[in-house]
Amino acid sequence: FLNREGRKPGKTVPCYNDQRKEGPFMENGKLRINMYSSADKVAGQGVGSAYEEQVALVRQADDLFDVEVNRPDRDADIQHFHTIDPIFFLRMRNKKPLNVAYCHFLPDTVMDGSLKVPKPLRKLVADYIIHFYNAADHLIVVNPSFIPELEKYGIPRRKIRYIPNYVSREVFHPLGEETRQAARKHYSIDPEAFVVLGAGQVQTRKGVKDFVETAKRLPHLTFIWAGGFSFGKMTDGYEELKAIMDNPPANVVFTGIVPREKMAELYNMTDVLFVPSYNELFPMTILEAANLHVPMVIRDLDLYKEILQGHYMKGDSVDEFTDLLHTLSSNPKVYEQYQDESRKISQYYSAEHVLTMWKAFYVEAWKYKDRFRT
């Protein structure tokens, strides 16, 4: 089976070309896939971005798949659940189709640094998340480092698959100097400023406080945080973070939630992406910025080591972040080096590469679904 051990995408072998002759496909020879998600109901979260990109990517394989979105009235060969809504949990009781679920987070990720969950409810929420994941025939992770973590929760390794996120180059690509300066003018940024961008929900686990503290130590640089409180006062650390947003240092701009279609303009006006998060899966911001070859400064987390393969600058404290950003802003040779490193990330996670993985997974998983359930 595809990536059973969490192998890198480059080791994947396409195995779908001879499968269309077998099994109860539709008359037109395609698998019917029904995507289920409520991620687009909450603005400014990476789950929604990942969902939109994955659906658009799979629809490109229209010779193999017919893709519907949130259509419970339509029969499907595969039901793919992108969010953990209770109604979707009930839909997985239907075992006629193959049931696939995304793992965008673990219970610890949700309750430690993201959302404030009352202590009496924490075990209930954790149990629900794991029950949802276990109910699926296959669980998709976007980072192989989460496979052993899921095993600790009792989810069999045999049902976990690794397929990375993907970002369209048609949307996220260099837009030129005119767009760069127009975006800077919109946010009242000096045309010659060295701009450091952070992006994501304003949460404790995103490292927003370290982002601001680093900015204080580099007053000659401009720092922008694109994102806000997608879940309002439920956000962990809301009061403290709201106070920071309301009274930031002079060289820090909080934009609030930015529509995704506008994020390409922000990346175009940016010189560095700064990701000080304490806990992540695979931030879409990394792939989005990589498409524009923006250098990256990222917290030194184990989960990045395999998926990004060293193509970034890493630190683990405000002191280290400060030194790295100072180097990038003052040394053109180092800056060009890490532009090239980001280019390598973009090349690795190309549409062709990731779509090949989805083709192979859907067809093989569906073909052997009955054997796999026994």
Side-chain angles (χ1 to χ4, degrees):
F1 257 86
L2 174 66
N3 280 332
R4 177 173 293 178
E5 302 301 326
R7 297 191 299 258
K8 294 179 182 179
K11 297 180 181 179
T12 300
V13 179
C15 49
Y16 49 84
N17 291 333
D18 63 343
Q19 305 301 328
R20 296 173 65 195
K21 301 175 183 177
E22 302 182 32
F25 285 85
M26 295 175 62
E27 291 182 0
N28 61 5
K30 302 179 184 181
L31 279 174
R32 298 162 295 185
I33 303 175
N34 204 335
M35 305 286 191
Y36 287 99
S37 176
S38 62
D40 54 355
K41 294 180 181 178
V42 180
Q45 58 168 337
V47 173
S49 300
Y51 154 67
E52 292 175 3
E53 292 283 11
Q54 195 269 347
V55 172
L57 182 64
V58 174
R59 278 179 165 159
Q60 292 180 26
D62 56 4
D63 61 323
L64 283 175
F65 310 126
D66 275 337
V67 179
E68 300 270 12
V69 174
N70 291 330
R71 292 298 302 269
D73 57 315
R74 299 288 183 89
D75 290 332
D77 299 303
I78 299 172
Q79 297 186 129
H80 188 154
F81 301 95
H82 290 253
T83 52
I84 61 170
D85 307 41
I87 187 64
F88 298 162
F89 182 78
L90 294 176
R91 293 199 191 289
M92 277 196 282
R93 297 178 66 179
N94 179 6
K95 296 302 182 181
K96 184 177 180 181
L98 178 79
N99 291 311
V100 178
Y102 250 126
C103 172
H104 290 289
F105 48 78
L106 299 175
D108 291 344
T109 314
V110 176
M111 293 183 284
D112 295 336
S114 293
L115 300 179
K116 291 186 291 187
V117 179
K119 288 185 179 180
L121 297 179
R122 290 174 72 91
K123 186 178 186 304
L124 181 64
V125 172
D127 287 347
Y128 171 75
I129 293 172
I130 297 305
H131 274 88
F132 188 98
Y133 291 162
N134 248 327
D137 298 313
H138 292 280
L139 190 61
I140 304 298
V141 297
V142 297
N143 192 309
S145 70
F146 269 64
I147 295 175
E149 296 300 317
L150 289 165
E151 286 187 283
K152 292 177 184 177
Y153 284 101
I155 297 176
R157 189 184 187 92
R158 60 182 174 79
K159 72 189 297 179
I160 305 171
R161 298 289 179 269
Y162 161 56
I163 301 178
N165 284 334
Y166 151 81
V167 168
S168 171
R169 291 181 187 169
E170 295 180 4
V171 178
F172 292 93
H173 62 271
L175 298 174
E177 186 63 23
E178 184 176 344
T179 298
R180 176 181 174 88
Q181 293 304 333
R184 289 186 170 215
K185 183 177 181 180
H186 176 77
Y187 290 103
S188 301
I189 304 299
D190 189 303
E192 301 302 319
F194 190 92
V195 175
V196 179
L197 177 70
Q201 297 181 57
V202 176
Q203 298 174 338
T204 299
R205 75 174 177 91
K206 291 288 186 178
V208 177
K209 289 189 287 184
D210 282 358
F211 183 87
V212 172
E213 184 58 36
T214 303
K216 290 178 180 178
R217 301 189 186 188
L218 296 166
H220 58 295
L221 307 185
T222 298
F223 288 70
I224 298 178
W225 188 277
F229 296 111
S230 295
F231 293 94
K233 293 183 178 180
M234 289 181 62
T235 302
D236 183 64
Y238 174 81
E239 290 78 9
E240 182 180 9
L241 294 172
K242 182 68 163 59
I244 293 173
M245 290 183 68
D246 290 344
N247 189 30
N251 64 329
V252 177
V253 176
F254 283 95
T255 67
I257 295 174
V258 178
R260 189 159 188 259
E261 61 270 18
K262 293 291 185 180
M263 282 301 298
E265 297 175 10
L266 272 175
Y267 293 121
N268 268 272
M269 63 169 273
T270 295
D271 296 295
V272 174
L273 179 69
F274 178 22
V275 185
S277 301
Y278 289 93
N279 196 324
E280 289 286 0
L281 270 174
F282 195 149
M284 295 295 284
T285 54
I286 287 177
L287 294 183
E288 292 165 356
N291 277 1
L292 282 78
H293 312 149
V294 175
M296 301 177 195
V297 173
I298 299 174
R299 191 178 296 277
D300 186 16
L301 302 180
D302 288 341
L303 62 90
Y304 291 134
K305 292 178 181 177
E306 184 167 357
I307 62 173
L308 299 181
Q309 302 173 30
H311 301 305
Y312 56 95
M313 299 184 85
K314 61 185 179 181
D316 205 29
S317 67
V318 171
D319 287 341
E320 292 179 1
F321 295 144
T322 300
D323 290 343
L324 294 172
L325 290 170
H326 173 72
T327 299
L328 283 171
S329 65
S330 60
N331 190 322
K333 289 186 178 180
V334 174
Y335 187 85
E336 290 177 7
Q337 174 189 344
Y338 281 93
Q339 278 185 310
D340 190 56
E341 295 295 342
S342 289
R343 185 180 291 107
K344 292 174 183 176
I345 294 174
S346 178
Q347 291 169 348
Y348 191 78
Y349 293 104
S350 67
E352 297 79 12
H353 199 159
V354 180
L355 181 56
T356 293
M357 298 178 74
W358 281 114
K359 288 178 177 180
F361 166 73
Y362 279 136
V363 174
E364 286 249 340
W366 181 85
K367 178 182 177 184
Y368 295 109
K369 66 175 183 177
D370 293 330
R371 181 193 307 176
F372 205 76
R373 286 171 177 168
T374 59

